[in-house]
Amino acid sequence: MSDLMVAVSAEERTAMVEAVRDFASTELAPHALEWDETKTFPRETIRRAGELGLGGLYVREDVGGTALARVDAVALVEELAKADPAVAAFITIHNMVAWMIDTYGTEEQRRQWLPSLTAMVDLGSYCLTEPGAGSDAAAIATSAIRVAGDAADGPDDGFVLTGVKQFISGGGEAAVYVVMARTGEPGARGITAFLVPGDAAGLSFGPNEKKMGWNAQPTRQVILDEVRVPASAVLGELGGGFKVAMSALNGGRVNIAACSLGGAQWALDRAIRYVHERFTFGEPLSERQSVVFTLADMATELTAARALVRDAARAIDEHAPDAAMQCAMAKRFATDAGFRVANDALQLHGGYGYLHDYGIEKVVRDLRVHQILEGTNEIMRVIIGRELMAAAS
């Protein structure tokens, strides 16, 4: 479990970052614009990421995981996102699912799902959001009705799930879906997490959503029409699904923040290069104080955001009591800063920044959704504010 994860040495960390940077620069970056334009999900490339150990970053080694501390994993996520934020974000969501099974699953569940998930031969999806329950996750309506068989643990003993999940990354591509469904009273305490196989009878998917960004990963509705699963499909405790979902989101928020860092850093690097090369009125843009000040602010914001992300990752590793607040702070600040930096990079490029071939507008589109998913940044402020008020009472 996460308690067993330890930070690697500086030398090991450097070697891992360099290996991932090499993978990202050769396997992701050359194809990112094409995948975005053609809305291609690079399934084989993602499988090669699994061969590199990127499918189970903080999963235990006995089932193929890499067993990294979060503080080390975020550095790898940032490198992936420099090449393609959309693919990097999908890999982090898959890792969140693998972590949930590793942390809350039984040994049988771990052995059944994790070897293929960590290798990314199979993929996992996280199903919490619903058409009528976005930010208010405790209000989900998907139901899980208990059905008893003729004998204990018999083939008919289990649950029937009915409902619709919205905005699901990997919908229609995953081998397993972690589905939050209501098994009891209204509110958070009535929610249970289930492992639903991708080929379960009654499971279907909506069309791939037409999105502003993140075009290299599929996003669909996941539709459960009386999907029957055995009692052994419960992940964690009956009625404990909200805790499972929220603990996973702490890591998800740090990861999406790291994705914003990577995409924005790439955009900043391109902007610095561009202003050196671009001449206006007889002098390079890099000689203009307003441009230099803009670049300075962009770099400062990313450095501050990176510090927040690393502190939040360390808080998860150390089970800090304020980990949820630190993750909310990091997610809010880094995703806002990341989008702002990418947008400023586009502005510095002028009309060229608006062209697809330069790649800047793609990063702007990809990073915009980071301010919404894994809890909107308005909800991050609610979490932070509540923690502050509770500490003062």
Side-chain angles (χ1 to χ4, degrees), residues 174-199:
V176 61
Y177 297 84
V178 177
V179 177
M180 303 301 159
R182 186 162 302 285
T183 52
E185 62 189 271
R189 288 182 294 180
I191 296 171
T192 300
F194 293 90
L195 296 175
V196 178
D199 59 357

Side-chain angles (χ1 to χ4, degrees), residues 170-230:
E173 296 283 347
V176 61
Y177 297 84
V178 177
V179 177
M180 303 301 159
R182 186 162 302 285
T183 52
E185 62 189 271
R189 288 182 294 180
I191 296 171
T192 300
F194 293 90
L195 296 175
V196 178
D199 59 357
L203 186 68
S204 63
F205 310 95
N208 197 7
E209 301 286 2
K210 298 176 181 178
K211 307 185 294 291
M212 175 180 176
W214 271 25
N215 289 322
Q217 58 162 287
T219 305
R220 296 183 176 93
Q221 282 190 336
V222 173
I223 304 162
L224 302 108
D225 183 10
E226 296 187 353
V227 174
R228 201 180 191 101
V229 295

Side-chain angles (χ1 to χ4, degrees), residues 295-379:
L295 292 171
D297 287 344
M298 292 161 72
T300 301
E301 288 209 27
L302 286 186
T303 299
R306 190 171 288 112
L308 274 175
V309 170
R310 288 173 180 169
D311 283 351
R314 189 172 292 109
I316 296 175
D317 289 332
E318 297 174 354
H319 304 286
D322 65 343
M325 182 174 74
Q326 288 200 53
C327 292
M329 286 180 169
K331 194 270 181 183
R332 201 289 298 166
F333 188 87
T335 58
D336 281 349
F339 177 74
R340 190 160 50 245
V341 166
N343 198 46
D344 285 347
L346 190 154
Q347 188 72 19
L348 287 171
H349 276 76
Y352 292 104
Y354 205 64
L355 300 181
H356 182 74
D357 287 348
Y358 278 70
I360 301 293
E361 61 86 28
K362 173 193 180 299
V363 171
V364 171
R365 289 185 287 106
D366 283 345
L367 297 196
R368 181 60 182 88
V369 74
H370 296 186
Q371 296 169 291
I372 298 171
L373 52 81
E374 309 291 26
T376 67
N377 284 0
E378 290 74 19
I379 292 298

